[in-house]
């Protein structure tokens, strides 16, 4: 009996049925791996900072730049990288992301000096940005239209887990093989990714109508985010007023470049086709706010628990686990409900749940009832898991097919900008109010910050109710207002 075959990728024929299923699973693995690698390297170095700074004879404060340069570089370059992928081929750009990431990792492991380490870390971040934007764009391109939300949910879960497993994974690698092992492990992951992509991800022609490259816009976004993020981060540091003003000046220059320069280029980086779509703009803003409030906990928890309650680093790290567990529990459900046409209900419920979790956490901070704090963080994670997948899918679905890379880059930039501002604002506020203060004062600061984040989440729930009020069973059809 003859066996039928089906092409999974150019030049690769597999037996239909089980083989086709294996091909799809390998495709998903190749895209999920890029999403994981791009995120995990933002945190995996955290626990290696102590031996790393001793190796290069720099202070721990200076060593924090190893983390900061990665996050800022990824955030500032994501829109440009997504645009390049649209123009020159998403699969090609995705493979190149693994190559650049591997080269940066090798350079970081062998860096002869601290400045070289930072330079290679920035190169690594360029590769990570290509992987972050590429995984989302390729998932949207290859996923069945009716299950886009569930497919994107895989990436949401992956990134949540990557952020959580990064520190313990980095600690294990550092303990066994030294801090350089953190970067060598990234090389291995990149090689695996290249092989998986070459075997499973179909190659499609670039979109001839994709907009060109906008270096002016890229420079403006980079200056705006670098200046604002660094300036906010220095506000709570004693004697840093002049430095803060300089960094805010850099941000202002970036904003001016964006406002004036984007009007004069033929294909502005902030694609007007995306910004004219009301649903895309609102979903992007909601992603920025929801991620910012979530990341505020990542800045607050270790500062507060270690500084005010003298918790060990291991215990402070374990405090993040309820958030990751909550996201993992609800992300697939959020994607499934969004695909079934219930985007409005599930995004409202998700952000309302997140706000409720933050209120529980605020009450736990006020009363020092740690089970209540842990429960609040679990509920916060569950709310974000419900919200993120359908919100992202709804935005991607209204983007033109020729601009998927740009749309993915724009959304990823919004989330990463939320990280920058959430971490910076929370860290600066807590440092200014409660660093080295009595425990009661620190607890009040934590209560205030959790409560403020809850108010923002309630606001995002109202924004979702307005944005998706006309999105029901016909979610996958672009609404009239999105075509305006």
């Amino acid at each position: 009996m003859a066996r039928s075959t089906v092409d999974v990728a150019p030049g690769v024929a597999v037996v239909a049925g089980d083989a086709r299923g294996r091909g799809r699973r390998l495709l998903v693995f190749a895209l999920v791996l890029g999403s994981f690698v791009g995120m995990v390297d933002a945190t995996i170095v955290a626990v290696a900072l102590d031996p790393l700074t001793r190796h290069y004879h720099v202070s721990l404060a200076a060593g924090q730049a190893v983390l900061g340069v990665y996050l800022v570089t990824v955030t500032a370059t994501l829109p440009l990288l997504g645009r390049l992928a649209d123009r020159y081929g998403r699969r090609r750009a995705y493979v190149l992301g693994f190559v650049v990431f591997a080269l940066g990792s090798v350079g970081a492991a062998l860096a002869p000096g601290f400045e070289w380490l930072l330079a290679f870390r920035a190169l690594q971040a360029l590769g990570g940005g290509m992987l972050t934007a590429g995984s989302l764009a390729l998932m949207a391109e290859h996923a069945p239209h009716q299950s886009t939300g569930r497919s994107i949910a895989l990436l949401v879960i992956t990134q949540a887990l990557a952020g959580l497993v990064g520190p313990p994974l980095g600690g294990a690698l550092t303990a066994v093989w030294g801090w350089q092992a953190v970067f060598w492990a990234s090389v291995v992951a990149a090689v695996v990714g290249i092989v998986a992509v070459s075997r499973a991800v179909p190659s499609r022609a670039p979109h001839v109508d994709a907009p060109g490259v906008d270096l002016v816009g890229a420079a403006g976004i980079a200056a705006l985010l670098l200046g604002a993020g660094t300036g906010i981060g220095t506000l709570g540091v004693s004697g840093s007023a002049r430095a803060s003003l300089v960094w805010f000046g850099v941000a202002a220059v970036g904003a001016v470049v964006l406002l004036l320069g984007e009007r004069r280029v033929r294909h502005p980086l902030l694609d007007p086709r995306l910004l004219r779509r009301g649903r895309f703009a609102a979903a992007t803003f909601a992603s920025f706010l929801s991620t910012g409030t979530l990341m505020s906990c990542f800045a607050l928890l270790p500062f507060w628990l270690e500084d005010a309650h003298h918790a060990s680093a291991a215990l402070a790290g374990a405090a993040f686990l309820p958030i990751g567990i909550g996201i993992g529990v609800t992300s697939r459900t959020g994607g499934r409900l969004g695909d079934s046409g219930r985007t409005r209900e599930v995004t409202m419920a998700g952000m309302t749940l997140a706000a409720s979790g933050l209120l529980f956490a605020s009450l736990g901070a006020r009363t020092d009832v740690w089970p209540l704090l842990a429960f609040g963080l679990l509920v916060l994670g569950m709310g974000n898991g419900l919200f993120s997948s359908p919100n992202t899918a709804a935005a991607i679905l209204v983007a033109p097919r020729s601009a998927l890379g740009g749309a993915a880059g724009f959304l990823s930039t919004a989330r990463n900008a939320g990280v920058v501002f959430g971490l910076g604002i929370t860290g600066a506020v807590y440092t200014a109010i409660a660093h080295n203060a009595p425990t009661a004062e620190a607890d009040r600061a934590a209560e205030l910050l959790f409560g403020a984040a809850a108010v923002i989440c309630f606001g995002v729930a109202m924004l979702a109710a307005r944005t998706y009020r006309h999105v029901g069973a016909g979610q996958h059809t672009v609404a009239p207002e999105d075509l305006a």
Side-chain angles (χ1 to χ4, degrees):
M1 180 176 176
R3 297 184 298 178
S4 61
T5 61
V6 59
D7 286 330
V8 176
V12 179
V14 298
V15 178
D18 289 343
R20 178 166 50 186
R22 286 195 298 271
R24 289 175 178 171
R25 286 193 293 272
L26 186 57
L27 168 64
V28 171
F29 170 76
L31 300 182
V32 166
L33 180 62
S35 181
F36 180 86
V37 166
M39 175 57 70
V40 77
D41 227 66
T43 60
I44 195 173
V45 182
V47 293
L49 284 182
D50 183 56
L52 185 153
T53 53
R54 283 190 278 106
H55 176 85
Y56 288 109
H57 306 291
V58 298
S59 68
L60 188 60
Q64 294 287 342
V66 178
L67 298 174
V69 72
Y70 187 93
L71 182 60
V72 170
T73 302
V74 167
T75 305
T77 57
L78 268 170
L80 178 63
L81 296 173
R83 177 73 63 82
L84 290 172
D86 285 334
R87 190 166 183 83
Y88 298 107
R90 294 171 191 138
R91 180 181 183 273
R92 183 182 303 168
Y94 192 57
V95 172
L96 183 60
F98 278 115
V99 173
V100 172
F101 186 81
L103 291 175
S105 300
V106 171
L110 302 176
F114 187 69
E115 293 77 11
W116 281 100
L117 174 65
L118 294 180
F120 283 118
R121 183 75 167 150
L123 180 64
Q124 197 182 35
L126 283 175
M130 298 169 86
L131 296 176
T132 300
S135 61
L136 180 56
L138 286 168
M139 187 70 83
E141 181 176 10
H142 292 290
H145 206 55
Q146 68 275 13
S147 63
T148 303
R150 279 167 286 181
S151 301
I152 289 174
L154 287 174
L155 301 184
V156 172
I157 295 171
T158 298
Q159 291 189 339
L161 293 177
L164 288 167
V165 305
L169 178 59
L173 291 170
T174 302
V176 177
W177 291 294
W179 65 265
Q180 292 91 342
V182 169
F183 298 111
W184 289 120
S186 298
V187 177
V188 175
V191 172
V192 172
I194 292 170
V195 173
V197 172
S198 66
R199 290 176 60 87
V201 180
S203 179
R204 295 182 180 177
H207 288 270
V208 294
D209 58 339
V213 176
D214 174 19
L215 295 179
V216 173
I221 289 176
L224 175 60
L225 293 176
L226 176 63
T230 308
I232 291 171
T234 59
L235 283 177
V237 180
S238 177
S240 63
R242 180 175 297 180
S244 297
L245 287 176
V246 170
W247 284 115
F248 284 130
V250 172
V253 170
V256 170
V257 169
L258 281 176
L259 290 174
L260 300 181
E262 292 293 86
R263 297 179 180 179
R264 301 181 180 182
V265 297
R266 183 176 180 184
H267 299 293
L269 192 61
L270 303 179
D271 194 332
R273 293 180 299 170
L274 298 175
L275 297 179
R276 282 197 297 265
R277 286 164 161 75
R279 191 192 305 173
F280 183 90
T284 301
F285 185 54
S287 290
F288 168 79
L289 292 176
S290 63
T291 305
T293 55
L294 180 65
M295 288 300 109
S296 67
C297 296
F298 280 70
L300 174 59
L301 283 172
F303 281 133
W304 171 48
L305 293 176
E306 295 181 41
D307 179 55
H309 292 276
H310 310 292
S312 66
L315 181 59
F320 295 110
L321 291 178
I323 300 176
I325 292 171
I327 292 174
V329 166
T330 59
S331 285
R332 294 297 298 274
T333 301
R336 177 174 53 79
L337 292 174
D339 287 335
S340 68
R342 300 173 67 181
T343 298
R344 184 173 189 262
E345 293 88 344
V346 73
T347 51
M348 286 180 59
M351 277 295 98
T352 302
L353 198 60
S356 302
L358 286 164
L359 289 178
F360 280 120
S362 179
L363 183 59
R366 180 174 184 174
T367 59
D368 285 346
V369 178
W370 306 120
L372 186 59
L373 172 66
F375 176 74
L377 296 178
L378 175 67
V379 173
L380 169 65
M382 293 174 66
N384 274 273
L386 278 179
F387 173 82
S388 296
S389 301
N391 183 69
T392 303
I396 286 290
L397 285 167
V398 298
R401 303 303 287 180
S402 62
L404 279 179
F410 203 101
L411 282 166
S412 297
T413 297
R415 287 197 298 268
N416 281 359
V419 173
V420 171
F421 281 87
L423 293 176
I425 292 173
T426 304
V429 170
Y430 182 85
T431 301
I433 295 176
H435 183 54
N436 290 328
T439 299
E441 189 69 24
D443 288 349
R444 279 194 289 271
E447 176 190 358
L448 171 67
L449 288 167
F450 281 132
V455 172
I456 294 174
C457 285
F458 276 125
V460 176
M462 296 302 99
L463 175 63
R466 178 178 177 82
T467 301
Y468 301 124
R469 64 189 183 279
H470 298 309
V471 180
Q475 173 183 325
H476 303 296
T477 302
V478 179
E481 65 268 23
D482 293 322
L483 295 174

